[in-house]
Amino acid sequence: MVQEAPDHPTRDVGFGVYLHWPFCASKCPYCDFNSHVRHAPVDEARFLAAFRREIAHVAGLTPGRRVSSIFLGGGTPSLMRPETVAGLLEAVSEAWGFAPGIEVTLEANPTSVEATRFRGYRSAGVNRVSLGVQALNDADLKALGRLHSVAEAIEAVETAAAHFERFSFDLIYARPGQTPQAWEKELREAIARAAEHLSLYQLTIEPGTPFFGLAKAGKLVPPDDEVARALYDVTQEVCEAAGLPAYEISNHARTGAQSRHNLLYWRYGEYAGIGPGAHGRLVLPGGRTGTVTERAPEAWLERVEREGHGIREWEPLSLPDQADEFLMMGLRLAEGIDPARYAVLKGSPLDEGRLADLAAEGLIARREGGRIAATPRGAPVLNALVAALAA
């Protein structure tokens, strides 16, 4: 007998599964993700067995779900053999079952894109790929620590287009020395090659990365706030005019081509985080709970083999904490949030006086059905906007 899932104000958003493959061919100097370089071959069969065990464990905690989206991230999931990907997707299907029209996305780096591999991923059940292109400028690719060239990136995009109806690629802007004029030219070239979706991220200098040390020593100088804002404005204007408006601060898509898995995150849906260093948000009988797995791949592997799962942190989230997360995530979206759902989580509605003040300043707007959204002026100062609304 299938058990009903516990109720939650965002239950209708869906249930997703994030699978984290933590291995990379090299570590980029700007990256603070949980990615690791291993010079010896990874024992994929052993890791697959561990993934299966952790999936089964989390499925036992979350009966009655159907998976609406899967995202294989990393790290570099495209370093996996297609047979390993097939085993992961089979395990998810056996544990929860797939909802009709499920979206299955796999991240890939241009250096690991091969037509035969992509055919294998398609046969395994992947129906969308996301390519880490990052720049269409060879000098900047080298500075970013990427192993591919622009020519290889373009070839990878063409390979993706030949094998998948749905694909996306990432670019990083606000790179050192980048001008709005140069970025506009690069962006237009990217749009000409993007069928439906682009993820466009401003470069951030994260503590603990090589870029952080270089910036602290004055050897790396990112654009100042004025130039960064000009680059952001160019991004919005060029993409909007080309029919790829921002549906989220850093993501642009044609109508109907939004990443469903990312929408699930931003709409505050429920998702299982599986694999080394993965984060999840599960609705358990005691309430919505944040989970974090063991970060180091080998430590995670041993813990799963010993205990059946690698989860090392369970964080029950209070309703006010959930309300704050819901607000922060939802205001990243162009569609904004439903204030009634916020009120259920918070136990009280948003302050109408504060809403009126922020609207008068041009930072928020009312959308159809009473939704509240950040305006183009409010989106770049989202943290301050959320703080004002949540106070």
Side-chain angles (χ1 to χ4, degrees), residues 341-387:
R341 295 192 177 199
Y342 175 86
V344 171
L345 291 169
K346 189 76 171 183
S348 60
L350 290 164
D351 184 278
E352 287 296 333
R354 195 170 290 121
L355 286 171
D357 290 342
L358 293 169
E361 293 176 36
L363 298 174
I364 65 164
R366 298 278 188 174
R367 298 281 190 250
E368 184 178 351
R371 299 181 74 86
I372 296 166
T375 63
R377 183 180 173 188
V381 292
L382 185 61
N383 288 344
L385 189 59
V386 169

Side-chain angles (χ1 to χ4, degrees), residues 234-254:
V234 165
T235 304
Q236 308 312 307
E237 292 161 7
V238 171
C239 289
E240 180 87 31
L244 279 84
Y247 67 96
E248 187 269 344
I249 286 176
S250 300
N251 286 272
H252 301 253
R254 303 193 188 282

Side-chain angles (χ1 to χ4, degrees), residues 42-354:
V42 174
D43 188 341
E44 291 191 28
R46 187 179 174 194
F47 271 91
L48 174 58
F51 269 90
R52 284 183 172 277
R53 289 195 68 184
E54 188 163 81
I55 288 167
H57 178 84
V58 177
L61 302 174
T62 53
R65 314 307 200 263
R66 287 291 178 270
V67 179
S68 55
S69 66
I70 299 173
F71 196 97
L72 294 99
T76 307
S78 55
L79 293 175
M80 277 188 278
R81 294 190 298 268
E83 295 81 4
T84 303
V85 173
L88 290 171
L89 299 183
E90 180 183 61
V92 174
S93 177
E94 290 172 352
W96 288 288
F98 290 171
I102 186 172
E103 176 189 89
V104 182
T105 301
L106 179 136
E107 286 186 333
N109 275 344
T111 47
S112 60
V113 170
E114 300 172 7
T116 53
R117 214 174 252 268
F118 267 23
R119 281 195 292 271
Y121 295 145
R122 187 63 188 264
S123 296
V126 174
N127 55 27
R128 182 178 181 271
V129 293
S130 178
L131 294 166
V133 171
Q134 311 311 4
L136 292 174
N137 173 303
D138 280 326
D140 283 358
L141 284 173
K142 184 176 180 180
L144 290 169
R146 307 299 288 171
L147 299 180
H148 61 273
S149 65
V150 171
E152 287 172 317
I154 291 172
E155 183 179 355
V157 170
E158 292 172 348
T159 301
H163 290 86
F164 296 92
E165 292 181 8
R166 301 189 64 207
F167 69 93
S168 175
F169 60 89
D170 301 353
L171 293 177
I172 294 172
Y173 67 98
R175 308 190 295 261
Q178 190 176 40
T179 65
Q181 295 76 21
W183 171 232
E184 180 176 349
K185 180 181 178 182
E186 186 175 348
L187 185 54
R188 291 189 185 282
E189 182 180 354
I191 290 171
R193 298 184 181 281
E196 62 170 27
H197 191 287
L198 283 172
S199 295
L200 306 170
Y201 303 104
Q202 282 204 21
L203 177 66
T204 55
I205 309 300
E206 301 291 349
T209 65
F211 267 16
F212 185 82
L214 290 172
K216 192 173 181 180
K219 297 179 180 179
L220 183 148
V221 182
D224 61 26
D225 290 345
E226 183 178 346
V227 174
R229 179 56 194 265
L231 290 163
Y232 172 83
D233 290 342
V234 165
T235 304
Q236 308 312 307
E237 292 161 7
V238 171
C239 289
E240 180 87 31
L244 279 84
Y247 67 96
E248 187 269 344
I249 286 176
S250 300
N251 286 272
H252 301 253
R254 303 193 188 282
T255 301
Q258 298 91 338
S259 165
R260 296 172 209 156
H261 191 81
N262 288 342
L263 282 175
L264 184 144
Y265 287 159
W266 296 316
R267 289 171 174 167
Y268 210 49
E270 183 185 17
Y271 59 95
I274 307 293
H279 292 238
R281 286 290 187 272
L282 304 175
V283 180
L284 304 177
R288 191 174 176 99
T289 302
T291 64
V292 182
T293 59
E294 191 72 50
R295 187 175 174 85
E298 289 76 18
W300 173 85
L301 183 63
E302 292 170 3
R303 187 165 185 158
V304 174
E305 291 174 340
R306 185 176 64 250
E307 301 178 18
H309 67 89
I311 300 172
R312 61 176 175 80
E313 292 181 23
W314 303 84
E315 182 188 4
L317 299 170
S318 68
L319 288 175
D321 286 344
Q322 293 181 54
D324 289 347
E325 286 191 344
F326 173 79
L327 194 63
M328 173 60 81
M329 301 294 280
L331 286 180
R332 293 182 64 90
L333 292 168
E335 71 184 25
I337 65 160
D338 178 354
R341 295 192 177 199
Y342 175 86
V344 171
L345 291 169
K346 189 76 171 183
S348 60
L350 290 164
D351 184 278
E352 287 296 333
R354 195 170 290 121

